[in-house]
Amino acid sequence: MDRQAVMEQGLTQPLVAPSLSPAARRRQLKEKAIAGFITLMAFTGIAALILIIIFVAKEALALFTEAEARHEASLSKMFLPQEVPPGRPPFRWQPVSRIPKVSMIPLFVGTLKTTAVSMLVAVPMGVFGALFAAEFAPRRLRELLKPVIELLAGIPSVVLGFFALMVMSTVIKDVFAFDRPLNAMVAGLGLALAIVPVIFTVSEDALTAVPRSYREASLALGATPWETAWKVVLPAAAPGILAACVLGFGRAIGETMIVLMASGNADVISWSLGDSARSLSATIAAEMGEVVVGSPHYSLLFFIGVQLFLFTFVLNLLASTWTRRVVRKLTGGAA
């Protein structure tokens, strides 16, 4: 048999995989089990989220499928002005009165007021505090400052609400000469205390992740440290800072106890920060414990939960789109 025939015969013979030792087999099985457990936990979290959404949507669907619920809480009654006697507001939230009034407009106004106040206070504090910690603070001060601010995230919201109710309400009423101690400003400032740690932590991580070469190039071109931080580092970390603001907004719009304790819970349509307010999340917390299961009021509260979900979902979608555009622009891609 010539050499070529021997080679062809060798190529046609099946390859035999090397046998694994018992220790290698056990290690391989262990790795597969760990990977399967991690995958199961990931899909369990996704399945739990989907089931929650389905449950909330199913309970709210009665507003559109049952005749009694449609009569008591139709879309026109929730979002359009109603015919009322002269001198009374056309938008009221009184779902348990003799003639139920289920206008969502006072709840939207109250939610927007408290959330806007909290974001106007927390975003500058969180972002500029993170910029100081990442760019200008000495190493020892940074190691002290970051844990102290992050410690605020561990304070229960009911404690922050109690602080806003007992301390901040009196101080703000005296400083701004408000008529009511519990108002939208007190609730918004209480919310700001809750979301500053979130914005600070995520923003500081985004600023720290900016490559050092960006700073060195800016300083080499003659820019001052402040110009480098403001015109180079901050724009480069814009996607992460936006994510921090979105997380803070989601925490603020969904916060319950602080708004429930410090806002006054009055369904008033007023853009004055000195007036009481009533938010969507606080309405669910205040009324869900006493509502009759299966009633139109019950479905209405779940419908409020659907609206909160839609708000946060749309905001995250818009923020994600904007973030991708910023990243493409920073990396030289098409906007």
Side-chain angles (χ1 to χ4, degrees):
M1 184 179 297
D2 58 1
R3 182 177 179 183
Q4 184 176 0
V6 172
M7 292 176 63
E8 291 177 354
Q9 183 179 1
L11 291 175
T12 57
Q13 291 181 355
L15 298 176
V16 179
S19 59
L20 297 176
S21 63
R25 288 197 187 95
R26 287 194 299 269
R27 185 169 61 252
Q28 191 177 48
L29 291 175
K30 183 178 179 180
E31 292 176 353
K32 289 182 178 180
I34 294 174
F37 177 76
I38 294 174
T39 304
L40 178 63
M41 291 298 101
F43 280 101
T44 301
I46 297 173
L49 177 61
I50 294 174
L51 290 176
I52 291 173
I53 296 173
I54 292 174
F55 170 74
V56 174
K58 180 180 72 68
E59 296 297 327
L61 193 62
L63 288 176
F64 307 97
T65 57
E66 297 181 3
E68 180 184 359
R70 288 200 305 269
H71 174 73
E72 183 174 320
S74 62
L75 291 177
S76 61
K77 292 182 177 180
M78 285 189 282
F79 299 104
L80 298 178
Q82 303 299 306
E83 295 183 2
V84 294
R88 294 188 179 182
F91 301 101
R92 294 302 304 270
W93 175 264
Q94 293 177 340
V96 293
S97 61
R98 185 177 61 86
I99 301 178
K101 304 173 184 64
V102 294
S103 177
M104 295 281 182
I105 305 303
L107 308 185
F108 289 151
V109 173
T111 302
L112 290 176
K113 283 202 302 184
T114 55
T115 305
V117 171
S118 65
M119 294 299 290
L120 288 174
V121 174
V123 169
M125 290 180 61
V127 173
F128 287 109
L131 186 64
F132 171 76
E135 299 298 319
F136 302 105
R139 181 171 175 271
R140 291 185 178 181
L141 180 60
R142 184 188 306 117
E143 292 177 353
L144 175 65
L145 183 64
K146 187 174 180 180
V148 169
I149 295 179
E150 291 177 349
L151 187 64
L152 289 173
I155 300 177
S157 58
V158 66
V159 175
L160 294 176
F162 186 74
F163 175 76
L165 173 67
M166 302 302 297
V167 179
M168 295 175 61
S169 60
T170 304
V171 174
I172 292 175
K173 181 178 181 296
D174 294 338
V175 171
F176 294 96
F178 289 150
D179 296 332
R180 300 174 178 84
L182 301 181
N183 49 60
M185 179 171 285
V186 175
L189 293 178
L191 285 176
L193 295 177
I195 65 177
V196 161
V198 177
I199 297 176
F200 174 87
T201 301
V202 180
S203 298
E204 200 271 341
D205 292 339
L207 292 167
T208 305
V210 175
R212 186 172 180 83
S213 58
Y214 287 22
R215 301 174 176 85
E216 294 174 348
S218 177
L219 294 173
L221 291 173
T224 63
W226 167 248
E227 291 174 335
T228 300
W230 180 254
K231 297 181 179 181
V232 177
V233 179
L234 200 62
I241 293 174
L242 177 65
C245 296
V246 171
L247 289 175
F249 182 86
R251 170 75 189 276
I253 201 172
E255 179 57 49
T256 301
M257 290 306 301
I258 297 175
V259 182
L260 184 64
M261 298 174 68
S263 66
N265 292 309
D267 57 330
V268 178
I269 299 181
S270 169
W271 294 107
S272 173
L273 299 179
D275 292 334
S276 298
R278 188 179 185 92
S279 71
L280 294 167
S281 57
T283 300
I284 298 175
E287 300 179 6
M288 184 59 75
E290 300 178 357
V291 70
V292 178
V293 177
S295 64
H297 186 195
Y298 176 82
S299 301
L300 195 60
L301 294 179
F302 277 94
F303 183 67
I304 294 176
V306 173
Q307 293 178 78
L308 286 171
F309 170 75
L310 291 177
F311 287 162
T312 55
F313 177 78
V314 171
L315 179 68
N316 285 321
L317 184 62
L318 294 175
S320 176
T321 303
W322 186 84
T323 300
R324 286 197 297 269
R325 290 182 179 180
V326 172
V327 170
R328 286 200 300 267
K329 186 178 295 186
L330 291 175
T331 55

